[in-house]
Amino acid sequence: MKIKISYQKDADPATDAKIRSPCSSTELSQTLQALSEKAKTATEFIQRLKAASDNMNEQCEELEREFGAQCEALVDAIHARRTQLIEFMHKERDFKLRALKDQVGACTHKLQQTTGLLQYCIEALKETDPTAFLQIGTALINRVANVDIAWHKDMTSAPLHSFQMDLTLDSAPVLRSIEQLHFIQMKAPEPPIIIPDECSAENNSVTIAWQPHPVSFVEGYILELDDGSHGAFREVYCGKETICTVDGLHFSSMYNARVKAFNSSGEGACTECICLQTAEVAWFTLDPITAHPDVKFSNENSTVMCDSYEHRVVIGSIGFSRGVHYWEFLIDRYDSNTDLVFGVARFDVNKEMMLGKDDKGWGMYIDNQRSWFLHCDGHEHRTEGGVNVASVVGVFLDLDNHQLSFYVNQEPQGPVAFTDLYGVFYPAVSINRSVAVTVHTGLDPPTDHESEGDDS
């Protein structure tokens, strides 16, 4: 192993100074600049502290004014309560005085009657004629005996009402409250805590649950929800509950929800968003609440029938405003003279006429031979082929393309029935005598469907 040893000549001090001087001045300059920045930051910090001191004095003066106003309000409340209590005491006194006066009057009247009877009896005893005394003696004895028996009933020896003002002011709770009166440090609450395990989405509704921040004073909560398309948030609930279900949302949509708490100091920050996905397909029943009394429901409101000769419209329990939806009606009972119309309607459709007769219903009339489309009492696109018992009528509502189509036994029934459909639409069926149908929901849309603009 070779070891290499190097030797270095002694350096000239003057030469060394010339070499190192520029480096040292640069380092000093950089250090001075850093120190200057720190001094500047410290100066700004001291200025902020002074400003905070002045601001604290202003806050203290403002707080003192608020405190004085609150104390004055408490004093005014005590004075108002004192006035009410004194008024109550005066009413109690007047009541007792009236009761004593009435009792004195009744006793005086009874005493006068008794005194008069005594004087009359004394005069009768002075009568010298025995025959005259015998004529009134028996009546006097009975009268005196009756007065004596009723004496304790008519002339009580105790007042009917207490003549003492037995009222005592219970001021202990107020004094305790005054002793407990103190300042609290109030600020807007911290964000609540979402409970993911208790949040859920079912059909076209979502449920959000949360709990308050452990160190915050909360007076209420605000739940906000977007539009299901990452749009702006809107307030859907404000109150004290910590769980909320929002109904009537769009199907097959991802909703973002967030919660914030508030108190008298203001609203706190929102929680992180929680995402909830509504169902891709709709599960619904027919609505008995809005239906005519002639319509009979069974099978958990999935089957309807009607024995009336008049047409009755039944709508579904939910409405659609976007997305693609498909459902089917199974014809359980059918008479050749029955009028059947399947389709969609607005919530306020006339439910006492055939579906499609007014401007709030879109439907397909079908019998055992043919069908046509109905809206505003007009019909078009007559198509051969009808239905019988066990036939299945499908309704395809495509709100992505804003159109409505119909199927019979899995085959298209005519062309696209209606286009330019915007707004909220409810599944609907129009029935009358001797017919029963059952709705089947949560079905996948047909795969062979063609839009109005598609090539044949």
Side-chain angles (χ1 to χ4, degrees):
M1 181 176 66
K2 295 182 179 179
I3 299 175
K4 185 177 181 180
I5 302 175
S6 298
Y7 295 94
Q8 186 175 3
K9 296 181 179 180
D10 293 338
D12 184 3
T15 304
D16 186 59
K18 290 180 181 179
I19 296 174
R20 295 164 59 181
S21 177
C23 180
S24 299
S25 62
T26 302
E27 182 179 356
L28 178 60
S29 177
Q30 292 175 349
T31 305
L32 287 175
Q33 184 177 358
L35 186 60
S36 176
E37 290 296 329
K38 292 180 179 178
K40 182 180 177 181
T41 302
T43 302
E44 293 175 352
F45 177 68
I46 292 173
Q47 291 175 350
R48 288 198 300 270
L49 289 179
K50 290 181 179 180
S53 177
D54 296 337
N55 186 35
M56 186 174 297
N57 289 329
E58 294 176 359
Q59 289 183 6
C60 185
E61 292 175 359
E62 178 65 23
L63 182 61
E64 185 176 348
R65 287 191 293 270
E66 293 180 0
F67 172 68
Q70 290 175 331
C71 288
E72 290 295 334
L74 291 175
V75 172
D76 292 341
I78 290 176
H79 283 302
R81 188 58 179 167
R82 181 188 65 178
T83 302
Q84 294 174 355
L85 292 175
I86 290 176
E87 183 179 356
F88 175 81
M89 182 177 62
H90 289 169
K91 289 182 179 179
E92 186 72 9
R93 177 201 62 189
D94 295 341
F95 171 77
K96 290 180 178 294
L97 289 176
R98 285 194 301 271
L100 289 173
K101 182 179 179 180
D102 292 342
Q103 188 175 3
V104 168
C107 292
T108 301
H109 179 68
K110 183 64 177 179
L111 182 61
Q112 289 175 348
Q113 289 181 333
T114 304
T115 303
L117 179 60
L118 289 173
Q119 292 177 350
Y120 183 79
C121 291
I122 292 172
E123 293 298 327
L125 290 173
K126 293 180 181 180
E127 179 61 49
T128 58
D129 185 2
T131 303
F133 182 81
L134 288 175
Q135 292 178 350
I136 63 172
T138 302
L140 285 177
I141 292 172
N142 292 334
R143 178 72 180 276
V144 171
N146 290 334
V147 170
D148 183 58
I149 293 172
W151 177 261
H152 295 289
K153 178 181 178 181
D154 298 335
M155 184 70 73
T156 59
S157 58
L160 297 178
H161 297 277
S162 172
F163 52 83
Q164 300 293 329
M165 293 296 293
D166 45 359
L167 298 175
T168 302
L169 183 63
D170 184 13
S171 59
V174 178
L175 293 175
R176 286 195 298 268
S177 297
I178 293 175
E179 292 174 356
Q180 295 172 359
L181 194 63
H182 209 289
F183 295 104
I184 60 173
Q185 290 185 345
M186 181 71 74
K187 63 178 181 179
E190 297 293 326
I193 301 171
I194 297 250
I195 310 174
D197 291 343
E198 297 184 18
C199 298
S200 62
E202 182 178 356
N203 221 11
N204 65 333
S205 66
V206 296
T207 299
I208 302 96
W210 62 90
Q211 63 187 23
H213 193 278
V215 297
S216 293
F217 173 72
V218 177
E219 294 180 357
Y221 303 94
I222 296 174
L223 172 62
E224 296 179 341
L225 207 66
D226 70 357
D227 61 355
S229 299
H230 303 289
F233 281 86
R234 59 188 175 90
E235 181 180 314
V236 295
Y237 171 75
C238 180
K240 296 183 178 181
E241 298 297 329
T242 56
I243 186 170
C244 179
T245 298
V246 184
D247 298 315
L249 303 177
H250 299 298
F251 285 89
S252 190
S253 299
M254 180 69 73
Y255 283 90
N256 293 296
R258 65 188 185 187
V259 185
K260 57 184 175 181
F262 64 86
N263 56 28
S264 57
S265 293
E267 296 178 358
C270 291
T271 61
E272 294 292 331
C273 290
I274 183 170
C275 299
L276 296 169
Q277 170 80 45
T278 53
E280 294 184 1
V281 294
W283 298 86
F284 63 89
T285 61
L286 300 173
D287 186 10
I289 298 177
T290 58
H292 193 279
D294 290 343
V295 180
K296 309 302 180 185
F297 288 77
S298 61
N299 193 20
E300 297 182 345
N301 297 332
S302 294
T303 301
V304 291
M305 61 176 294
C306 179
D307 292 327
S308 171
Y309 282 85
E310 302 297 329
H311 299 95
R312 302 302 184 209
V313 173
V314 184
I315 64 174
S317 57
I318 58 175
F320 307 109
S321 59
R322 70 182 183 192
V324 177
H325 309 281
Y326 179 73
W327 60 94
E328 294 179 342
F329 285 95
L330 172 64
I331 300 177
D332 301 309
R333 190 174 72 178
Y334 181 73
D335 188 308
S336 59
N337 295 321
T338 295
D339 295 323
L340 272 174
V341 184
F342 303 92
V344 297
R346 304 293 191 192
F347 182 79
D348 55 348
V349 64
N350 190 332
K351 299 177 180 63
E352 297 185 8
M353 64 169 57
M354 182 182 292
L355 180 66
K357 287 288 187 179
D358 64 3
D359 62 345
K360 297 179 180 179
W362 294 258
M364 178 185 71
Y365 171 90
I366 190 167
D367 57 23
N368 59 351
Q369 296 180 349
R370 62 200 180 280
S371 67
W372 55 76
F373 305 139
L374 277 174
H375 177 59
C376 287
D377 203 17
H379 60 278
E380 58 183 3
H381 294 296
R382 174 169 170 163
T383 303
E384 296 301 321
V387 294
N388 287 293
V389 174
S391 294
V392 176
V393 177
V395 183
F396 182 63
L397 179 62
D398 182 1
L399 290 176
D400 289 345
N401 294 302
H402 311 286
Q403 59 190 29
L404 179 67
S405 304
F406 295 94
Y407 289 74
V408 174
N409 296 326
Q410 309 298 323
E411 297 294 332
Q413 184 76 2
V416 172
F418 302 101
T419 59
D420 297 325
L421 298 179
Y422 293 88
V424 180
F425 300 90
Y426 287 78
V429 60
S430 171
I431 59 176
N432 62 352
R433 64 192 181 282
S434 302
V435 63
V437 297
T438 298
V439 64
H440 294 274
T441 65
L443 305 177
D444 292 328
T447 57
D448 59 346
H449 175 71
E450 293 184 354
S451 299
E452 177 77 3
D454 293 344
D455 295 331
S456 300

